[in-house]
Amino acid sequence: MNLEVELLFHDLIKPTCPTPQHNRYHQLSCIDQMMLPIYMPWILYYPANDSKTKKEEICDSLKRSLSEALTIFYPLAGRFQANKVVDCNDEGVYFVEAKAKCNLLDILQNPNFYDINKLLPFEPDHASDMVAAVKVTHFDCGGMSIGFGMSHQMGDALSSVLFLQSWAAISRGDNDTAIVPLFDSAKYFAPVDLTEFDTGFEYIKEAVVTKRFVFDASSLSALRDRYVYRNNIHHEETIRPTRIEALTAFLWSRIKTITQVKASTNKVFTAYHPVNLRPRLNPPLSAQHFRNIIVEPEIVEIVDNSRESWSDDLMVRKVRETVRKVNAEYVKNLQTDNAYFHMMNERSEKTIKGEVVPFNFTSCCRFPIYDIDFGWGKPTWVSSGKWPFGNFAAFFDTKEGGGIEAWITVLRQEMARLETDPELIALLSPKHKH
C-alpha cells in the first residue's frame, strides 16, 4: 500500500505563558553537544474514540494542551544556537495536521516501512534549528496517529517519553500528574568546544532499509535459556541474561554473519548500547532530569585470521559485563577532565579511518509508551520510523507484554540476507514471520 497523506494545516504552537527572562538561554551539556542532530521518531496510533468527539475538537484540544505543556517544557519551543545553547524564545513547536487516505487498520496490519515517515512532522535528518515538532494524522475510519520528533541534542528517548506523558496528562485534564522537568544536565557534564570535532558520521538514507522483527515472550525466554552461563568467580552460580542482553548478543551475531566482513587484516567490531546514567550518578538523579543523561559503553571484539570470532555465549557475557560496568565510579571518571569528550573523539577518529565496524543498539523497553492517553484511550500501537543511517537497532516492548519489536536498519543488500536468515526466522513471532 502506498500511503497518501494530505496536509491540512500547519502552525507554530507557543507556550501559554511567556518564558521568564532568567530562563531564556539553556546551556547544552557535553553529551547534548555530541549527539547527532536528528529528530527521534515516535508515532502513536489511536483507534476511533467511542465518544464520537469530532476530529476538529481533538486537534484543538491537542494544540491547547501542547501550549500548556510547553510552559513547563519551554526549551522545546526554542531554537538551537551554534550547538552551544537553546534560545528559549518561545518561537514555538511546529504543529502539522494531515489526513491519510486509508484506514488505520491498513497501517496496523501491513505497515509500509518505506513511507511510514509520512506520519512524522518531517524526516529524522531534517536540517533545522527547531527543537521539536508534532504531526496529527486523521484516518478515514476515525482513528488517528500522533507523530512526534524531538532533536536528540535536546534529550534522550526517556526525555521524549517524559514529555509525551506530561502533555497527555494535561490533555486529559490530569495536570497534577504532569512532571515538572529539570534542565540542569550541563551541571553534571560540562560543555566543551567542538570547533574541530568531526563525528565521522554521514547519512546514507537512500541505501538503507528499516524493518521490524517481532520476538514474542516465549522466543525470548528460549533465547535467554540458550545463553545461560556460569559466573566467572562463583562457578556454581549460573547467570541467565535479560531479554535485552540476550537479544542484543543474538542480533549482533546474526548481523555480523550476514555482513560477511572479511578479516584480511585485524578488524574491530564494536557494539554500543546506551545506558541511563540517572540512577548511576552519586547521588542519583531522578527521572525528572530532562536532556541526554546517557552513555554508550563500547563492546569490542577484535577479529583476525589467527582465531575464531566470539561464540554467542561469550558475546552475551561481554554485553552484560560491559553494560554493568557503568557504575558510580565509571560515571565519576566520565565527568573528569572532559573524559566523555575524549572518549567520543577517539571513537570518531577510528570511524573516520575505517578501523571499526560499528553497530548501535538502543532500548526503549519498559518505557510506559502504551500508557500515553490524551483523553480518548491508550494507543493501539507505538512505532518508530525509518532511520537515515545503517547499522542500527531499536527495541520496543510489544503491546501484549513480554515480547520485543526490534526495528533494524541496515544496507538494502544486508537486509535481504537478514530477512532470510534461518536462525533469525526461527525466533520470530509466528504471526510476524512474513
Side-chain angles (χ1 to χ4, degrees):
M1 181 189 74
N2 181 32
L3 181 62
E4 294 184 44
V5 179
E6 176 189 356
L7 175 67
L8 300 177
F9 166 89
H10 67 92
D11 198 2
L12 290 171
I13 306 300
K14 304 177 186 296
T16 304
C17 299
T19 299
Q21 192 61 32
H22 66 269
N23 286 337
R24 176 66 187 264
Y25 294 100
H26 264 282
Q27 178 72 60
L28 297 180
S29 74
C30 174
I31 302 180
D32 296 331
Q33 289 177 291
M34 302 186 81
M35 285 294 169
L36 291 175
I38 60 169
Y39 293 89
M40 294 177 290
W42 294 87
I43 309 174
L44 296 81
Y45 304 81
Y46 295 89
N49 69 91
D50 296 332
S51 66
K52 306 299 182 185
T53 305
K54 295 180 180 179
K55 64 182 182 182
E56 292 83 3
E57 295 175 10
I58 289 176
C59 218
D60 286 344
S61 174
L62 286 173
K63 286 187 285 186
R64 265 195 318 273
S65 56
L66 176 58
S67 180
E68 291 182 44
L70 291 175
T71 299
I72 53 176
F73 289 85
Y74 50 89
L76 272 66
R79 296 295 181 265
F80 289 109
Q81 285 190 354
N83 197 21
K84 293 181 179 179
V85 299
V86 178
D87 181 359
C88 303
N89 56 10
D90 296 340
E91 197 166 326
V93 164
Y94 183 58
F95 186 97
V96 185
E97 185 179 6
K99 176 176 174 55
K101 299 178 181 179
C102 66
N103 292 325
L104 176 57
L105 195 59
D106 297 328
I107 303 289
L108 301 180
Q109 291 183 337
N110 186 29
N112 183 336
F113 299 99
Y114 289 96
D115 60 13
I116 199 170
N117 283 18
K118 294 176 183 177
L119 301 177
L120 293 168
F122 35 61
E123 291 291 328
D125 61 334
H126 179 75
S128 173
D129 60 353
M130 283 190 288
V131 179
V134 174
K135 186 172 188 176
V136 177
T137 304
H138 305 281
F139 295 92
D140 289 338
C141 59
M144 64 180 295
S145 67
I146 298 177
F148 176 66
M150 185 181 80
S151 173
H152 209 333
Q153 292 188 306
M154 169 51 65
D156 49 29
L158 185 59
S159 296
S160 290
V161 174
L162 180 68
F163 171 73
L164 288 169
Q165 283 182 292
S166 297
W167 176 20
I170 293 170
S171 176
R172 65 175 183 266
D174 196 7
N175 295 47
D176 291 342
T177 63
I179 297 173
V180 178
L182 299 171
F183 298 106
D184 57 353
S185 62
K187 181 170 68 176
Y188 303 98
F189 296 94
V192 294
D193 181 5
L194 295 182
T195 305
E196 299 182 6
F197 176 72
D198 182 358
T199 63
F201 175 85
E202 60 179 332
Y203 296 113
I204 52 172
K205 59 183 179 181
E206 300 304 325
V208 297
V209 177
T210 299
K211 294 283 186 180
R212 176 185 61 159
F213 297 86
V214 183
F215 303 86
D216 60 26
S218 60
S219 292
L220 292 172
S221 180
L223 189 62
R224 294 176 66 193
D225 290 340
R226 184 199 302 184
Y227 287 149
V228 167
Y229 63 90
R230 292 196 178 278
N231 190 315
N232 281 337
I233 300 174
H234 306 288
H235 297 287
E236 69 281 359
E237 178 189 359
T238 58
I239 295 176
R240 187 173 186 245
T242 66
R243 297 180 308 157
I244 303 302
E245 292 164 349
L247 189 57
T248 297
F250 173 74
L251 288 176
W252 192 24
S253 169
R254 301 321 307 153
I255 289 165
K256 285 196 306 172
T257 299
I258 62 98
T259 56
Q260 299 177 346
V261 176
K262 302 296 183 183
S264 56
T265 57
N266 285 3
K267 203 74 177 178
V268 179
F269 295 91
T270 61
Y272 303 105
H273 216 312
V275 175
N276 178 15
L277 297 181
R278 293 167 179 83
R280 291 170 170 83
L281 270 80
N282 185 19
L285 303 182
S286 71
Q288 290 176 261
H289 282 80
F290 200 89
R291 306 294 277 275
N292 289 290
I293 311 179
I294 56 174
V295 69
E296 297 175 326
E298 187 176 49
I299 309 161
V300 180
E301 176 189 8
I302 300 176
V303 178
D304 58 37
N305 288 332
S306 65
R307 67 176 180 84
E308 295 181 356
S309 61
W310 284 350
S311 66
D312 288 357
D313 290 352
L314 180 55
M315 194 173 295
V316 77
R317 185 193 300 260
K318 290 296 184 182
V319 169
R320 183 182 182 92
E321 290 174 353
T322 301
V323 170
R324 297 197 175 212
K325 76 178 182 183
V326 182
N327 54 23
E329 187 63 27
Y330 181 99
V331 178
K332 182 180 178 181
N333 290 335
L334 276 186
Q335 296 172 297
T336 305
D337 298 328
N338 290 331
Y340 181 88
F341 166 75
H342 293 304
M343 177 183 73
M344 298 303 293
N345 195 46
E346 182 181 352
R347 289 182 187 178
S348 70
E349 289 177 354
K350 291 178 180 178
T351 301
I352 292 169
K353 293 176 182 177
E355 296 176 356
V356 300
V357 180
F359 200 93
N360 292 279
F361 292 89
T362 191
S363 174
C364 297
C365 293
R366 302 194 182 280
F367 287 8
I369 53 178
Y370 280 100
D371 292 330
I372 298 175
D373 180 359
F374 286 87
W376 52 83
K378 298 178 180 180
T380 191
W381 187 38
V382 178
S383 83
S384 182
K386 181 181 182 296
W387 292 80
F389 49 83
N391 286 11
F392 179 71
F395 298 159
F396 300 86
D397 284 320
T398 57
K399 187 175 183 180
E400 295 79 13
I404 292 177
E405 295 186 10
W407 287 64
I408 300 176
T409 306
V410 291
L411 292 173
R412 192 177 301 276
Q413 63 269 26
E414 294 172 353
M415 183 62 76
R417 293 195 291 269
L418 190 62
E419 288 181 301
T420 56
D421 180 70
E423 288 197 43
L424 178 61
I425 292 172
L427 273 180
L428 294 179
S429 170
K431 63 181 180 181
H432 292 286
K433 285 185 183 289
H434 303 288

